[in-house]
Amino acid sequence: MRVNRILLSSSLVVVALVLQVSVLARLHLPGAVPDVLLLTVLGLALVYGHVGGALVGFGAGLLADLAPPADHAAGRYALVLCVIGYLAGLIKPDNGRLKSATGPMVVVVVAAIGSTLLYAGVGALVGDTAARHVGLGSLLFTAALYDLLLAPFVVPGIMALARRAENDPLAETNSQAKKPSISSGWLSGGTGLRIGSQRGGLGGLKVKAVKARSARAGRIKGVKRL
C-alpha cells in the first residue's frame, strides 16, 4: 500500500474505533451495536480494491481485538474484517466512484449480516456461545438495520477522502524522476542533438566538417585553373 493510504487508513480506523467504543457501545441499543468500524473498512475497500480492503480489514479488526473492553480471543474480529474487506474490494466501482446508492446499501446489508454470522461461527469454533443466548436472529436484524441507517453518513465520506488521498507525493516523485529533465529536453529541441547519443551527433558534425573542407578545396582548385 502507498504511504498516504496507510496514513489515511490508520487515522480513519482509529477514529472509528474510538467512536464505536466510547459512544456507540454505550448507547445500549437493543440487539447489536452499530459497527462504524465495519463501515469504514467497506468505504476504503470500495476505493482500494480487494488487496487494500483485506489489509485494512485485518489491521482494523486486530486493533479492535486488542482494544479494551474486548472480551474475545485476539484475531477473531481481524479474520472477520479481513474477509469482509477482501470481498467488498472485489466489487470496487470504476475509479472508486459510486453511480447509485442501491449497490452500496446492498453491500452494507450483506456485510453486516455476513460479519455477524462469521463472527458467531468463529466464536462457536473456539467455544464462545454468547450469540446463542442473545439470539442470532435479532443480532442479524439489528446489525443490518443499524449499519444501513449509519452507512449514508459514513461510507460516502470515507470514499471521498480515500479518492482525494490517491495523489501520493512519493509516487509523483518517482514518476517525475523517470521523465526527461527540462534541461535535456531544451537542449535536444534547440540544437537537434539527442542526449544519450552524443557519439552519433559528434560523428555527424565531423562528417559535415569534412564535406565542407572538400567543397572549399574544390572551389580553390577551380579558381586556380581559371
Side-chain angles (χ1 to χ4, degrees):
M1 294 181 69
R2 298 178 180 178
V3 175
N4 57 346
R5 287 188 177 186
I6 296 176
L7 294 177
L8 177 64
S9 302
S10 302
S11 303
L12 293 176
V13 165
V14 170
V15 172
L17 182 60
V18 172
L19 180 62
Q20 182 166 336
V21 172
S22 60
V23 178
L24 297 179
R26 297 184 179 182
L27 295 178
H28 301 291
L29 297 175
V33 177
D35 199 344
V36 68
L37 193 62
L38 173 65
L39 298 178
T40 302
V41 173
L42 290 179
L44 293 174
L46 291 175
V47 177
Y48 295 158
H50 59 282
V51 177
L55 294 176
V56 172
F58 179 80
L62 185 60
L63 187 62
D65 289 332
L66 300 177
D71 56 352
H72 54 269
R76 181 176 171 183
Y77 201 47
L79 175 61
V80 173
L81 289 187
C82 180
V83 175
I84 296 298
Y86 178 84
L87 296 178
L90 292 176
I91 55 176
K92 168 188 173 183
D94 296 336
N95 300 324
R97 297 181 180 273
L98 300 176
K99 298 180 180 179
S100 64
T102 304
M105 293 299 102
V106 174
V107 172
V108 169
V109 173
V110 173
I113 296 175
S115 62
T116 304
L117 289 175
L118 185 58
Y119 185 83
V122 175
L125 293 177
V126 297
D128 185 2
T129 59
R132 297 180 181 178
H133 301 289
V134 177
L136 186 58
S138 63
L139 283 178
L140 294 176
F141 176 76
T142 54
L145 178 62
Y146 296 155
D147 292 348
L148 186 61
L149 294 176
L150 192 61
F153 304 99
V154 178
V155 177
I158 296 295
M159 295 184 66
L161 290 175
R163 289 197 305 267
R164 183 175 298 180
E166 280 298 283
N167 297 324
D168 192 349
L170 295 181
E172 291 179 357
T173 303
N174 294 333
S175 63
Q176 290 178 359
K178 295 179 181 179
K179 296 180 181 179
S181 62
I182 299 176
S183 59
S184 63
W186 178 78
L187 288 173
S188 61
T191 61
L193 299 177
R194 294 183 178 179
I195 305 300
S197 59
Q198 295 179 353
R199 295 181 179 178
L202 293 176
L205 291 177
K206 291 181 180 180
V207 171
K208 291 181 180 180
V210 172
K211 290 182 179 180
R213 290 176 183 176
S214 61
R216 289 179 183 177
R219 292 175 184 175
I220 294 173
K221 289 180 180 180
V223 173
K224 289 182 177 181
R225 289 177 182 179
L226 291 176

